[in-house]
Structures are given as structure tokens and as C-alpha cells.
Amino acid sequence: MKRAVIVVCDGLRADLLTPALTPNLARLAGGGRVFAAHTGVFPSTTRVTSASIATGCLPGRHGLEGNAVALDEGNGLFPISAGRPDFRNRMLKARGATLLVPTLAERLAGHGGSVVFSNVSAGAAHFQDPDGHGFVYHRQGSYGPGRIAVADGDRLDVTHDGDGDAAMTERFCDGVLGRRRPALAVLWLCEPDHTQHGHPLGSTEHRLAVAGADACAARVARTVTALERDGDDIITVYCSDHGHETVDAVIPLDDLLIEAGLKEGAGSSDVVVASNGLSAGIYVSDAARGRVPAIVAFLRAQDWAGEVFSGPGLAAAGLRADTALAVSVTTAKSAAANAHGIPGLSPAIADSLPGESRVGCGQHGGLGPFEQSPFLFVVGGGFAAGTRSAVPTAPMDIAPTILRHFGLPADGMDGRPLPRHPEQERGAP
Ligand SMILES: [Zn+2]
């Protein structure tokens, strides 16, 4: 039986996947095909990437453009976290749709189905399958087809930490991989991202969280090996969604825009900042659209700012250009190391919502070299063991790769199937 497994170690930087820090992942990567030039999407956030992995599309096409977005629910634009358990329903009501393109769950619904176990935010879990074609299990709600809640005894009741990841992995291996046997099984760990947001990269706490995720990946690999001995043909994708940089300052962008006369006041809905950590989306009401050139000029003059995208630049950056999102700004990076020797420093943009930007700790969301360095390797499914590819790859390439394994079409995607052998490299003669 052909099957697919995706294991996501949230936030694990590719340069921190080493024999010393992640002995199991390093060993597993050595038995698979490593994609060494893998990058993230923009914004490099969990919820946006979850939708890109599920759909094979860039944010501009799948329709979720931020970890937080501004929605007009009838009273003007206000920022809202896409991680909230109620976000999916509020997005559907305000915009008339959740994701704009089909997910792997939808494409596999008649071909063996899908089960997602996720220990990150509810929103990131939902965007694997927002319209209920398969099963999504999350500590704040577990749903089956039709988005009908699963029976009480079947809910995923785990803690939002490494212990919860370990408990979830046990149940995933025995219950999902071993007994339920869906075509696609997704395991999305909250670590090391969860710890990286609260502790310095390279700290003891961080190293322990990385080791925990590494052990969970090994547990899955042992289960897959046993299933393959029993005759299953399994492709296993091991990856992260984004990396992290170390926050060296927090920029109060709302306040700066108010001081510059570009936003009416705190909480106003004319110009709304939705922080993605190391980038932000700036949403502008129809009445305030004339201020966009001044906002862009203001941002370009800030020494903390990196890239500024607006107008056609939004679509070129892979973002939606058909909503109130008018400008996207990233923060400037430094290659300097933190106190633990981990390179990559960056200012973060303050969040009017409960945020996760703490000076000295990890964050992501922008275009810095380390936040844009998730890892990716594939084991089984005909991928050449012990090989490395330097072909540029992205999270959108995972869905078409899974569909190719099942012999199903991957129409309408931005991603392309990953090359299984060195001679399959794109552009190779
Ligand atoms: Zn993440």
C-alpha cells in the first residue's frame, strides 16, 4: 500500500540539524535525499507555511497572507491572530472563503484520506484542512470529515510543549500509522519553535527542546521502518516550516505611524499593522488609500526596515494583492551571533495582539537568511538514499511530491515535485 507521512519539527533551522544536536535527524537525513537549498515562504510563519504545505501554493494564491491579518467584520479593519480557534470561521465569514485552493486533505479524500496531528496553534492545525475533508486533531478541537467533532475519547488531549509532542507522537505512531493507516498522516510538533520563542537560541532549554523533537522524529522513523517491512511503500517527508533569528529590538510600528501622522490613533481601523514577528502587513482602509505612498516612503527611511513591498511588489513577494493589505515590511538583519554563538539578529515588529517577540529569544516571519532556512529531506518513495540536492526548493513542493507518490495530478500548484534522483534535477540536461 502506498502511503505518505509528513513530520514537521516547527522552527528548526537547517544549520542546527547536526549530528551533535539532532543525532536521529542527522542519521535519517543520511539515509534519504537532503534538499540543501530549501527556503521558506514569505511571511515565514507557521500558519502561512501550513497552508502552503497543504496546498502547494504561495500565500498569494492560497489566501492566508499572515500569522495575523486584518479582517473587516463589519466595523472596519482590525488585526486578528490566525492562530485563534475561531479564526477559520471568522475568515470564512469576513472574506467568503477559507483557503482559495484545494488542500492535500481534499485531494486525498477519495484516495485513502488524511489524518493531521498538530501541537502548534489551532489556526496552523486548521489550515492543513480548513474545510474538513479529513481528520485534524488539535488540543483545542479535533474534527473529522465535515468538520464534525470527534468523539470525546478520541480528542487529542496533550500539553502545548515537548511533553505534549512526545505524547502526541506515541499516539500518532500506534494509532494513526499502525492502525488507522490513512494515505497521508501529518505530525506537526510544536518544538523547538515553542521553546525558541521563550529562550535564547543555543541555550540549554533550547537544546533540550531540539533533542525532544529529534526523538519524536526517530519514533516515527522506527514505526515507518516496521510498516515497510510489512510491505507498505511509504514516502516520509521530514521538514521544518521556517527557522528563527534572535530578536535584538522590538519596533513599536503602530506608535511610529501615529507619530508620523500616518495613522489616526491606537486601535484605529484606517491603517492597521498585523505583525508577523520579523515582518508586518499594513492594511489600509479604502478611505486612507491615498496615504499608501507616504507610508511606503516613511518605512523606506527607517533604519530598522529591510524590504518594503506594495502595489505589484506584493504579488512579486508571493502575497495577496486583492485585500486591504497595502504594504508589507520586513526588518533589517545582522549576521552577528547571540550570546550562545548562534548567528542572525533582527528587530521584531511589536504586536498589538498577544505576541511572541522577546528580546534575546527567537522569532521569525521575515526574509532573513536563518528564518528562511527550514530543513527538508525525504526518505523512501523512490528518493535516492544518501544524496543531496542543491536545487532551490520551497514548502509548496511538498504537496505535488506527495501526489506524485500516489499517481495523482497536482494541477494548479506553485510548487513542483521534488527531484528523486540527481539525474532528475531541474534544468539538468
Ligand atoms: Zn512554525
Side-chain angles (χ1 to χ4, degrees):
M1 178 183 170
K2 279 189 183 284
R3 304 174 59 182
V5 179
I6 301 174
V7 178
V8 184
C9 302
D10 201 295
L12 179 58
R13 278 166 53 157
D15 65 328
L16 300 183
L17 198 164
T18 66
L21 287 171
T22 60
N24 292 297
L25 284 167
R27 175 178 49 79
L28 293 167
R33 183 151 168 75
V34 176
F35 292 90
H38 190 55
T39 56
V41 296
F42 176 69
S44 49
T45 62
T46 308
R47 298 148 204 167
V48 173
T49 310
S50 177
S52 287
I53 288 175
T55 62
C57 290
L58 286 161
R61 197 148 165 206
H62 65 54
L64 179 65
E65 73 277 16
N67 244 25
V69 304
L71 292 181
D72 184 345
E73 299 179 289
N75 295 307
L77 293 165
F78 287 98
I80 173 172
S81 165
R84 296 169 56 110
D86 64 353
F87 177 79
R88 177 254 178 215
N89 289 344
R90 291 170 68 174
M91 181 191 195
L92 176 62
K93 200 168 171 206
R95 290 186 173 174
T98 58
L99 296 183
L100 305 174
V101 288
T103 58
L104 281 173
E106 180 172 354
R107 290 171 184 265
L108 292 170
H111 303 275
S114 60
V115 178
V116 177
F117 272 34
S118 173
N119 200 25
V120 289
S121 68
H126 293 161
F127 282 102
Q128 284 286 296
D129 181 15
D131 298 318
H133 294 279
F135 288 85
V136 175
Y137 288 80
H138 184 268
R139 61 186 184 277
Q140 291 173 306
S142 300
Y143 302 93
R147 287 188 54 77
I148 295 167
V150 301
D152 284 356
D154 190 29
R155 290 189 308 216
L156 183 64
D157 185 19
V158 297
T159 52
H160 183 204
D161 54 20
D163 288 344
D165 280 354
M168 177 176 76
T169 301
E170 285 299 316
R171 195 175 148 195
F172 178 81
C173 288
D174 293 340
V176 179
L177 295 182
R179 286 197 292 277
R180 293 175 67 172
R181 302 169 58 81
L184 172 65
V186 179
L187 180 72
W188 199 305
L189 307 170
C190 75
E191 295 290 8
D193 177 88
H194 179 67
T195 294
Q196 287 170 175
H197 281 291
H199 296 276
L201 302 179
S203 64
T204 301
E205 293 87 349
H206 173 223
R207 286 164 184 265
L208 285 171
V210 170
D214 184 61
C216 289
R219 174 76 172 89
V220 173
R222 285 197 299 276
T223 305
V224 167
T225 299
L227 293 168
E228 285 172 333
R229 273 196 218 107
D230 293 342
D232 285 340
D233 175 6
I234 304 177
I235 180 175
T236 309
V237 175
Y238 296 89
C239 65
S240 54
D241 49 346
H242 52 76
H244 271 240
E245 315 261 346
T246 294
V247 176
D248 63 359
V250 178
I251 306 300
L253 181 53
D254 272 312
D255 298 343
L256 295 179
L257 290 170
I258 293 166
E259 285 164 21
L262 295 167
K263 175 176 167 64
E264 283 168 14
S268 68
S269 60
D270 56 334
V271 174
V272 174
V273 175
S275 176
N276 286 304
L278 306 188
S279 73
I282 299 174
Y283 295 74
V284 178
S285 69
D286 289 344
R289 277 266 155 180
R291 269 180 258 161
V292 169
I295 292 169
V296 169
F298 171 81
L299 292 171
R300 292 217 162 110
Q302 302 294 306
D303 59 4
W304 56 263
E307 305 267 1
V308 181
F309 304 108
S310 69
L314 290 172
L319 293 168
R320 287 187 83 165
D322 62 339
T323 70
L325 178 67
V327 185
S328 174
V329 59
T330 71
T331 53
K333 308 301 171 194
S334 155
N338 73 359
H340 299 275
I342 307 292
L345 305 181
S346 172
I349 294 175
D351 203 330
S352 59
L353 306 166
E356 292 191 303
S357 294
R358 298 179 186 88
V359 171
C361 299
Q363 184 53 290
H364 52 94
L367 290 169
F370 298 104
E371 59 192 324
Q372 282 288 333
S373 295
F375 77 91
L376 172 67
F377 66 89
V378 183
V379 180
F383 278 76
T387 61
R388 285 173 79 83
S389 170
V391 165
T393 59
M396 296 80 72
D397 298 331
I398 293 171
T401 301
I402 301 281
L403 292 172
R404 180 183 60 189
H405 181 68
F406 291 111
L408 294 171
D411 51 294
M413 292 186 175
D414 295 314
R416 293 180 295 173
L418 296 163
R420 285 177 284 207
H421 307 280
E423 55 270 29
Q424 257 187 357
E425 300 279 80
R426 296 162 194 151

